[in-house]
Amino acid sequence: MNTRELQDRIIELKKKKNVCILAHAYQSQDIWEVADFIGDSFALSKKAAGAPEDTMVMAGVRFMAETCKILSPEKRVILANPTAGCPMAMEMDRDAVLEMQKEYPGYATVAYINTTADLKTAVDVVVTSSSAVKIIRALPDKNIIFIPDPNLGAWVQAQCPEKNFKFYNGGCPTHMRTGPSDVKRMKAAHPEALVLVHPECRPSVVELADYVGSTTGIMKYAEESSAREFIIGTEASIVQHLQFQCPDKKFYLLSENCVCYNMKMTTLVDVYNAVAGDGGEEIVLPEDVITRSRRPIDRMIQLGG
Ligand code: 13P
Ligand code: SF4
Protein backbone atom coordinates (compact mmCIF):
# COMPACT_ATOMS: atom_id res chain seq x y z
CA MET A 1 0.00 0.00 0.00
CA ASN A 2 1.34 3.47 -0.75
CA THR A 3 0.94 6.63 1.34
CA ARG A 4 -2.10 7.86 -0.62
CA GLU A 5 -3.90 4.52 -0.26
CA LEU A 6 -3.23 4.41 3.47
CA GLN A 7 -4.47 7.99 3.83
CA ASP A 8 -7.68 7.08 1.96
CA ARG A 9 -8.24 4.16 4.32
CA ILE A 10 -7.75 6.38 7.37
CA ILE A 11 -10.19 8.99 6.04
CA GLU A 12 -12.80 6.35 5.34
CA LEU A 13 -12.34 4.62 8.68
CA LYS A 14 -12.40 7.78 10.82
CA LYS A 15 -15.78 8.74 9.32
CA LYS A 16 -17.17 5.26 9.90
CA LYS A 17 -15.92 5.13 13.49
CA ASN A 18 -16.67 8.77 14.38
CA VAL A 19 -13.04 9.55 15.20
CA CYS A 20 -11.47 13.01 15.23
CA ILE A 21 -7.75 13.15 14.43
CA LEU A 22 -5.89 16.00 16.13
CA ALA A 23 -2.36 16.70 14.90
CA HIS A 24 0.19 19.03 16.43
CA ALA A 25 1.91 21.36 13.96
CA TYR A 26 5.18 19.38 14.35
CA GLN A 27 3.66 16.22 12.86
CA SER A 28 4.67 15.18 9.36
CA GLN A 29 2.91 16.28 6.17
CA ASP A 30 1.34 12.84 5.51
CA ILE A 31 -0.33 13.00 8.95
CA TRP A 32 -1.44 16.63 8.42
CA GLU A 33 -3.29 15.50 5.30
CA VAL A 34 -5.57 13.10 7.22
CA ALA A 35 -6.07 15.27 10.33
CA ASP A 36 -9.38 16.96 11.17
CA PHE A 37 -7.52 19.67 12.99
CA ILE A 38 -3.91 20.89 13.05
CA GLY A 39 -2.69 23.47 15.50
CA ASP A 40 -0.40 24.68 18.23
CA SER A 41 -0.90 23.49 21.81
CA PHE A 42 -3.48 26.18 22.63
CA ALA A 43 -5.58 25.59 19.52
CA LEU A 44 -5.50 21.82 20.07
CA SER A 45 -6.73 22.30 23.66
CA LYS A 46 -9.65 24.44 22.52
CA LYS A 47 -10.53 21.92 19.84
CA ALA A 48 -10.34 19.03 22.32
CA ALA A 49 -12.91 20.79 24.50
CA GLY A 50 -15.45 21.07 21.69
CA ALA A 51 -14.98 18.18 19.25
CA PRO A 52 -18.28 16.34 18.63
CA GLU A 53 -16.74 12.91 17.83
CA ASP A 54 -16.75 10.02 20.40
CA THR A 55 -13.06 9.22 19.99
CA MET A 56 -10.05 11.47 19.56
CA VAL A 57 -6.72 10.29 18.22
CA MET A 58 -3.82 12.53 19.15
CA ALA A 59 -0.89 12.68 16.78
CA GLY A 60 1.48 14.52 19.07
CA VAL A 61 3.04 13.83 22.46
CA ARG A 62 1.61 12.44 25.70
CA PHE A 63 0.84 15.71 27.52
CA MET A 64 -1.33 16.77 24.55
CA ALA A 65 -3.37 13.57 24.75
CA GLU A 66 -3.68 14.03 28.52
CA THR A 67 -4.97 17.58 28.01
CA CYS A 68 -7.52 16.21 25.55
CA LYS A 69 -8.69 13.63 28.10
CA ILE A 70 -8.94 16.24 30.87
CA LEU A 71 -11.11 18.46 28.66
CA SER A 72 -13.25 15.60 27.31
CA PRO A 73 -13.28 12.94 30.04
CA GLU A 74 -16.34 11.23 28.58
CA LYS A 75 -14.51 10.50 25.32
CA ARG A 76 -11.96 7.90 24.35
CA VAL A 77 -8.64 9.62 23.77
CA ILE A 78 -5.94 7.61 22.04
CA LEU A 79 -2.29 8.65 21.87
CA ALA A 80 -1.33 7.35 18.42
CA ASN A 81 2.20 6.38 19.48
CA PRO A 82 2.48 5.62 23.22
CA THR A 83 6.27 6.16 23.24
CA ALA A 84 5.94 9.81 22.13
CA GLY A 85 6.56 11.85 25.25
CA CYS A 86 7.85 15.37 25.73
CA PRO A 87 11.24 15.44 27.51
CA MET A 88 10.44 18.90 28.91
CA ALA A 89 7.22 17.57 30.49
CA MET A 90 9.28 14.92 32.29
CA GLU A 91 11.69 17.44 33.83
CA MET A 92 9.47 18.43 36.71
CA ASP A 93 6.97 16.49 38.83
CA ARG A 94 4.29 17.58 41.29
CA ASP A 95 6.61 17.28 44.31
CA ALA A 96 9.09 19.68 42.73
CA VAL A 97 6.24 22.19 42.26
CA LEU A 98 5.23 21.85 45.91
CA GLU A 99 8.87 22.46 46.91
CA MET A 100 8.98 25.69 44.91
CA GLN A 101 5.66 26.79 46.37
CA LYS A 102 7.09 26.24 49.86
CA GLU A 103 10.13 28.31 48.94
CA TYR A 104 8.00 31.16 47.48
CA PRO A 105 4.78 31.35 49.51
CA GLY A 106 2.03 33.60 48.15
CA TYR A 107 3.23 33.33 44.53
CA ALA A 108 0.79 32.27 41.81
CA THR A 109 1.99 29.11 40.01
CA VAL A 110 1.82 29.25 36.21
CA ALA A 111 2.62 26.02 34.34
CA TYR A 112 3.45 25.65 30.68
CA ILE A 113 1.06 23.15 29.08
CA ASN A 114 4.09 20.93 28.37
CA THR A 115 3.74 19.29 31.82
CA THR A 116 2.09 16.13 33.14
CA ALA A 117 -1.58 15.98 34.18
CA ASP A 118 -0.43 15.16 37.71
CA LEU A 119 1.73 18.31 37.91
CA LYS A 120 -1.16 20.46 36.68
CA THR A 121 -3.19 19.49 39.77
CA ALA A 122 -0.83 21.67 41.84
CA VAL A 123 -0.90 24.88 39.78
CA ASP A 124 -3.10 27.97 39.44
CA VAL A 125 -3.17 28.36 35.69
CA VAL A 126 -1.80 26.66 32.58
CA VAL A 127 -0.40 28.60 29.60
CA THR A 128 0.83 27.83 26.10
CA SER A 129 3.41 29.74 24.10
CA SER A 130 0.66 31.60 22.24
CA SER A 131 -1.39 32.48 25.33
CA ALA A 132 1.22 33.02 28.08
CA VAL A 133 1.66 36.80 27.81
CA LYS A 134 -2.06 37.51 27.63
CA ILE A 135 -2.84 35.23 30.57
CA ILE A 136 -0.05 36.45 32.84
CA ARG A 137 -0.97 40.08 32.17
CA ALA A 138 -4.57 39.23 33.10
CA LEU A 139 -3.61 37.56 36.41
CA PRO A 140 -4.18 39.73 39.48
CA ASP A 141 -0.98 38.33 41.07
CA LYS A 142 2.30 40.24 40.84
CA ASN A 143 4.50 37.37 42.00
CA ILE A 144 4.66 34.39 39.63
CA ILE A 145 6.35 30.98 39.77
CA PHE A 146 6.73 30.06 36.08
CA ILE A 147 7.48 26.39 35.33
CA PRO A 148 9.24 24.50 33.81
CA ASP A 149 10.70 26.48 30.86
CA PRO A 150 12.84 29.49 31.86
CA ASN A 151 13.33 30.45 28.19
CA LEU A 152 9.64 30.88 27.52
CA GLY A 153 9.53 32.47 30.98
CA ALA A 154 12.19 35.05 30.10
CA TRP A 155 10.33 35.98 26.91
CA VAL A 156 7.10 36.47 28.88
CA GLN A 157 8.96 38.41 31.59
CA ALA A 158 10.31 40.88 29.01
CA GLN A 159 6.71 41.64 28.01
CA CYS A 160 5.35 41.75 31.56
CA PRO A 161 7.89 43.95 33.40
CA GLU A 162 5.28 44.73 36.07
CA LYS A 163 5.46 41.12 37.33
CA ASN A 164 8.05 39.39 39.49
CA PHE A 165 9.10 35.91 38.27
CA LYS A 166 10.77 32.84 39.75
CA PHE A 167 11.86 30.16 37.26
CA TYR A 168 12.67 26.46 37.27
CA ASN A 169 15.78 25.16 35.57
CA GLY A 170 14.02 23.23 32.78
CA GLY A 171 13.60 23.78 29.05
CA CYS A 172 13.03 22.13 25.69
CA PRO A 173 16.09 20.13 24.58
CA THR A 174 15.17 20.63 20.91
CA HIS A 175 15.05 24.44 21.02
CA MET A 176 17.91 24.75 23.52
CA ARG A 177 20.27 23.09 21.05
CA THR A 178 20.34 26.36 19.07
CA GLY A 179 22.45 29.40 19.95
CA PRO A 180 23.21 32.94 18.71
CA SER A 181 26.07 31.59 16.56
CA ASP A 182 23.44 29.67 14.51
CA VAL A 183 21.54 32.90 13.88
CA LYS A 184 24.71 34.75 12.88
CA ARG A 185 25.86 31.93 10.57
CA MET A 186 22.46 31.61 8.88
CA LYS A 187 22.06 35.40 8.55
CA ALA A 188 25.49 35.60 6.91
CA ALA A 189 24.41 32.91 4.42
CA HIS A 190 20.94 34.43 3.82
CA PRO A 191 21.17 38.18 4.53
CA GLU A 192 17.66 38.92 3.18
CA ALA A 193 15.94 36.31 5.34
CA LEU A 194 13.81 37.18 8.37
CA VAL A 195 14.48 35.15 11.52
CA LEU A 196 11.36 33.57 13.06
CA VAL A 197 11.84 31.62 16.29
CA HIS A 198 9.85 29.85 18.99
CA PRO A 199 10.04 31.32 22.53
CA GLU A 200 11.38 27.98 23.80
CA CYS A 201 14.71 29.12 22.24
CA ARG A 202 17.30 30.68 24.55
CA PRO A 203 16.98 34.46 25.20
CA SER A 204 20.27 34.98 23.30
CA VAL A 205 18.52 33.57 20.18
CA VAL A 206 15.18 35.29 20.81
CA GLU A 207 16.82 38.72 21.02
CA LEU A 208 18.22 38.33 17.48
CA ALA A 209 14.85 37.31 15.95
CA ASP A 210 12.50 39.40 13.79
CA TYR A 211 9.47 37.48 15.11
CA VAL A 212 8.91 35.24 18.12
CA GLY A 213 5.82 33.04 18.40
CA SER A 214 4.19 29.64 18.67
CA THR A 215 4.41 27.05 15.91
CA THR A 216 1.28 28.28 14.17
CA GLY A 217 2.22 31.90 14.95
CA ILE A 218 5.46 31.40 13.01
CA MET A 219 3.58 29.81 10.10
CA LYS A 220 0.99 32.57 9.93
CA TYR A 221 3.68 35.27 10.06
CA ALA A 222 5.66 33.65 7.22
CA GLU A 223 2.55 33.14 5.08
CA GLU A 224 1.36 36.75 5.49
CA SER A 225 4.77 38.44 5.27
CA SER A 226 5.84 40.15 2.06
CA ALA A 227 9.41 38.89 2.67
CA ARG A 228 10.58 36.01 0.46
CA GLU A 229 13.09 34.22 2.70
CA PHE A 230 12.92 33.02 6.30
CA ILE A 231 15.21 31.34 8.82
CA ILE A 232 13.04 29.12 11.02
CA GLY A 233 14.06 28.54 14.65
CA THR A 234 11.74 25.74 15.67
CA GLU A 235 11.24 22.05 14.91
CA ALA A 236 12.35 21.03 11.39
CA SER A 237 8.85 19.94 10.31
CA ILE A 238 7.69 23.57 10.21
CA VAL A 239 10.17 24.27 7.40
CA GLN A 240 8.67 21.40 5.42
CA HIS A 241 5.07 22.55 6.01
CA LEU A 242 5.90 26.12 5.07
CA GLN A 243 7.54 24.95 1.87
CA PHE A 244 4.30 23.14 0.95
CA GLN A 245 2.16 26.15 1.81
CA CYS A 246 4.34 28.85 0.27
CA PRO A 247 6.22 27.22 -2.63
CA ASP A 248 7.36 30.63 -3.91
CA LYS A 249 9.13 31.52 -0.67
CA LYS A 250 12.34 30.05 0.76
CA PHE A 251 12.70 28.58 4.24
CA TYR A 252 15.92 27.60 6.01
CA LEU A 253 16.20 25.67 9.27
CA LEU A 254 18.11 27.65 11.92
CA SER A 255 20.12 24.59 12.93
CA GLU A 256 20.23 20.94 11.97
CA ASN A 257 19.79 20.29 15.71
CA CYS A 258 16.19 21.54 15.63
CA VAL A 259 14.71 18.07 15.53
CA CYS A 260 12.31 16.72 18.17
CA TYR A 261 12.74 12.97 18.05
CA ASN A 262 9.60 12.47 20.14
CA MET A 263 7.44 14.39 17.69
CA LYS A 264 8.93 12.27 14.89
CA MET A 265 7.94 8.97 16.54
CA THR A 266 4.34 9.02 15.33
CA THR A 267 3.90 7.61 11.83
CA LEU A 268 0.94 7.45 9.46
CA VAL A 269 0.72 3.72 10.23
CA ASP A 270 0.41 4.54 13.97
CA VAL A 271 -2.47 6.88 13.12
CA TYR A 272 -4.11 4.17 11.02
CA ASN A 273 -3.80 1.58 13.80
CA ALA A 274 -5.13 4.02 16.41
CA VAL A 275 -8.16 4.90 14.25
CA ALA A 276 -8.75 1.21 13.51
CA GLY A 277 -8.81 0.49 17.27
CA ASP A 278 -5.76 -1.69 16.92
CA GLY A 279 -2.96 0.46 18.27
CA GLY A 280 -1.96 3.49 20.27
CA GLU A 281 -2.75 3.85 23.96
CA GLU A 282 -6.03 4.89 25.46
CA ILE A 283 -5.35 7.65 28.00
CA VAL A 284 -6.74 6.79 31.41
CA LEU A 285 -6.41 9.29 34.24
CA PRO A 286 -7.68 9.04 37.83
CA GLU A 287 -10.90 10.98 38.31
CA ASP A 288 -9.42 13.32 40.93
CA VAL A 289 -6.48 14.14 38.61
CA ILE A 290 -8.97 15.03 35.87
CA THR A 291 -10.99 17.24 38.21
CA ARG A 292 -8.02 19.03 39.77
CA SER A 293 -6.02 19.52 36.56
CA ARG A 294 -9.06 20.77 34.67
CA ARG A 295 -9.35 23.91 36.81
CA PRO A 296 -6.06 25.55 35.63
CA ILE A 297 -6.70 24.42 32.04
CA ASP A 298 -10.20 25.91 32.03
CA ARG A 299 -8.70 29.08 33.43
CA MET A 300 -6.23 29.12 30.53
CA ILE A 301 -9.03 28.79 27.97
CA GLN A 302 -11.08 31.47 29.73
CA LEU A 303 -8.19 33.99 30.12
CA GLY A 304 -6.48 33.06 26.82
CA GLY A 305 -9.62 33.92 24.86
P1 13P B 1 3.32 25.30 20.56
O1 13P B 1 2.54 24.26 19.87
O2 13P B 1 2.51 25.94 21.60
O3 13P B 1 3.97 26.26 19.66
O4 13P B 1 4.51 24.51 21.34
C1 13P B 1 5.58 23.95 20.68
C2 13P B 1 6.03 22.71 21.30
O5 13P B 1 7.18 22.53 21.58
C3 13P B 1 5.07 21.67 21.53
O6 13P B 1 5.67 20.62 22.14
FE1 SF4 C 1 8.79 18.71 24.10
FE2 SF4 C 1 10.46 20.38 22.89
FE3 SF4 C 1 9.66 18.18 21.63
FE4 SF4 C 1 7.94 20.19 22.05
S1 SF4 C 1 9.77 20.25 20.77
S2 SF4 C 1 7.59 18.00 22.36
S3 SF4 C 1 8.68 20.95 24.04
S4 SF4 C 1 10.90 18.30 23.51
Side-chain angles (χ1 to χ4, degrees), residues 23-29 32 38-40 129-130 194-199 211-227 230-247 249-251:
H24 185 263
Y26 290 157
Q27 294 296 296
S28 52
Q29 188 71 27
W32 270 40
I38 302 154
D40 64 14
S129 57
S130 55
L194 295 182
V195 179
L196 319 183
V197 308
H198 197 281
Y211 172 81
V212 184
S214 75
T215 48
T216 49
I218 288 174
M219 292 196 71
K220 190 164 181 286
Y221 184 93
E223 282 162 27
E224 290 173 359
S225 169
S226 56
F230 304 88
I231 295 162
I232 303 295
T234 192
E235 215 280 329
S237 55
I238 298 298
V239 168
Q240 191 198 16
H241 297 311
L242 279 166
Q243 254 148 14
F244 268 93
Q245 288 185 0
C246 312
K249 295 181 177 179
K250 287 192 173 152
F251 301 96

Side-chain angles (χ1 to χ4, degrees), residues 29-94:
Q29 188 71 27
D30 54 351
I31 293 177
W32 270 40
E33 289 167 7
V34 297
D36 296 282
F37 189 76
I38 302 154
D40 64 14
S41 304
F42 188 63
L44 288 180
S45 306
K46 285 202 295 184
K47 203 72 194 168
E53 292 85 354
D54 312 318
T55 303
M56 284 186 280
V57 166
M58 173 59 73
V61 290
R62 183 168 292 272
F63 78 80
M64 296 174 179
E66 285 187 348
T67 307
C68 244
K69 182 69 186 171
I70 294 163
L71 288 165
S72 294
E74 72 292 353
K75 296 192 179 163
R76 290 184 74 225
V77 176
I78 314 287
L79 176 60
N81 185 321
T83 57
C86 166
M88 169 147 57
M90 302 317 291
E91 285 165 356
M92 193 176 195
D93 62 13
R94 189 172 188 275

Side-chain angles (χ1 to χ4, degrees), residues 14 17-18 21 28 38 41 50 60 64 67 81 90-91 112 120 133 156 170 177 186 197 237 240 248 253 256 301:
K14 72 175 182 177
K17 296 193 148 214
N18 201 21
I21 302 174
S28 52
I38 302 154
S41 304
M64 296 174 179
T67 307
N81 185 321
M90 302 317 291
E91 285 165 356
Y112 194 19
K120 289 184 179 88
V133 171
V156 174
R177 283 195 291 262
M186 290 301 287
V197 308
S237 55
Q240 191 198 16
D248 299 333
L253 188 61
E256 67 206 30
I301 292 175

Side-chain angles (χ1 to χ4, degrees), residues 181-197:
S181 58
D182 292 313
V183 181
K184 287 173 191 152
R185 179 176 44 82
M186 290 301 287
K187 273 298 266 187
H190 309 286
E192 299 299 315
L194 295 182
V195 179
L196 319 183
V197 308

Side-chain angles (χ1 to χ4, degrees), residues 107 136 142 144 146 153 156-157 160 163-167:
Y107 279 60
I136 288 175
K142 179 175 165 56
I144 310 276
F146 188 93
V156 174
Q157 184 177 37
C160 303
K163 307 271 176 174
N164 173 37
F165 289 86
K166 298 292 176 200
F167 297 122

Side-chain angles (χ1 to χ4, degrees), residues 151-152 175-176 178 197-203 205-206 233-234 254:
N151 297 319
L152 175 66
H175 290 87
M176 282 170 73
T178 63
V197 308
H198 197 281
E200 287 173 16
C201 291
R202 296 171 189 277
V205 171
V206 164
T234 192
L254 175 60

